[in-house]
Amino acid sequence: MKDLNILQKGILTLAKKDRRINNIIDKFGFPNDEPLKGGFRTLLRMILGQQISVKVADSIWSKIESLKPINEENILNLPDKTLNDIGLSRQKISYAKDLANKIISKELILNDLKKLSSDKVHKKLTSVKGIGDWTAEIYRLFVLCDLNSFPKGDIAVQEGARIYFNLKDRPKPNELIELVKSWEPLKGAGALVMWQIYRLEVREGISSNFYE
């Protein structure tokens, strides 16, 4: 096995706690998810990609990339009409500009997030318009490598857990948190395994490397 990143090392550590993880790896393969660089671009793309298909999100992002440089100042100064013309809704425009504003004003300093507790990071991120629990949890897991960050509201994680725990129905977020309590402090590593099940069992070929 090639050199493992911090997310993959977390999976191996979790597998020592929950032996069933090894069975899943044998059946579905070892997750190849990698940490993300993070920063304004990554967080902006996460926000803009919410509640739309991957295809539409990729199309919008490719148009945003034509407006280089993609930074806080440029997004803030672009006319709303320009952003609307490339596919952003009024709501998404307000989210993008709120993120830019908070970073420029230093109300949100992304480079300082690693110094904070998980709860404080979550509160900081969700103070931005358009960032809910899912986006904050994804950023914590893939960018900050918080291996206990668990996106309980993610449909793919829920579906993977349904298969993993041999349940009739997809577990609700609160039910899922109870099911994975024994995985602490590596619940995020468990989420990576649930995504792997979903990719191979439900929608083969889908990657949870969100923003490669």
Side-chain angles (χ1 to χ4, degrees):
M1 188 178 290
K2 66 177 183 179
D3 291 343
L4 301 179
N5 61 54
I6 188 170
L7 300 177
Q8 294 172 318
K9 288 177 182 178
I11 293 171
L12 289 184
T13 303
L14 179 62
K16 294 176 182 177
K17 294 182 65 175
D18 186 340
R19 296 295 180 180
R20 291 177 298 176
I21 296 290
N22 287 316
N23 296 333
I24 292 299
I25 291 172
D26 288 342
K27 182 175 181 180
F28 296 101
F30 196 77
N32 63 357
D33 305 279
E34 296 183 0
L36 298 174
K37 184 178 180 181
F40 175 74
R41 282 175 58 104
T42 297
L43 197 48
L44 177 65
R45 191 169 183 180
M46 287 179 178
I47 292 172
L48 299 184
Q50 292 172 356
Q51 298 178 326
I52 57 177
S53 71
V54 173
K55 185 177 180 179
V56 171
D58 287 347
S59 175
I60 291 173
W61 188 254
S62 68
K63 293 172 183 175
I64 287 177
E65 287 189 313
S66 69
L67 304 174
K68 292 179 179 178
I70 304 174
N71 56 37
E72 303 89 326
E73 291 80 7
N74 195 26
I75 291 296
L76 200 58
N77 293 328
L78 282 170
D80 288 3
K81 185 179 185 306
T82 300
L83 293 171
N84 186 248
D85 286 346
I86 62 174
L88 269 66
S89 65
R90 289 182 182 178
Q91 189 177 52
K92 291 285 178 72
I93 292 170
S94 71
Y95 293 167
K97 296 205 169 186
D98 187 63
L99 173 63
N101 261 318
K102 282 186 166 63
I103 290 177
I104 289 172
S105 68
K106 298 190 184 302
E107 187 176 337
L108 176 64
I109 304 175
L110 295 177
N111 287 338
D112 286 355
L113 292 180
K114 282 198 172 185
K115 303 173 186 177
L116 305 178
S117 68
S118 295
D119 287 345
K120 287 184 178 179
V121 169
H122 202 86
K123 288 178 181 177
K124 280 281 187 183
L125 289 172
T126 54
S127 71
V128 178
K129 288 181 181 178
I131 295 184
D133 289 338
W134 182 87
T135 304
E137 288 157 354
I138 293 295
Y139 195 88
R140 285 169 49 204
L141 176 58
F142 283 93
V143 175
L144 304 179
C145 296
D146 178 353
L147 288 171
N148 206 37
S149 180
F150 188 78
K152 57 188 178 296
D154 188 279
I155 298 298
V157 171
Q158 293 172 2
E159 186 62 20
R162 181 190 67 77
I163 296 168
Y164 182 81
F165 291 104
N166 195 27
L167 304 173
K168 180 180 178 182
D169 300 312
R170 185 189 302 153
K172 296 177 181 178
N174 290 340
E175 296 171 341
L176 186 51
I177 285 296
E178 289 298 316
L179 287 169
V180 303
K181 265 188 174 180
S182 64
W183 290 350
E184 292 184 354
L186 295 165
K187 291 184 297 187
L192 299 174
V193 177
M194 298 305 101
W195 272 312
Q196 182 74 352
I197 296 172
Y198 181 81
R199 285 194 289 260
L200 275 295
E201 184 76 5
V202 183
R203 296 187 66 185
E204 185 172 353
I206 289 180
S207 170
S208 63
N209 281 340
F210 300 95
Y211 312 111
E212 296 172 330

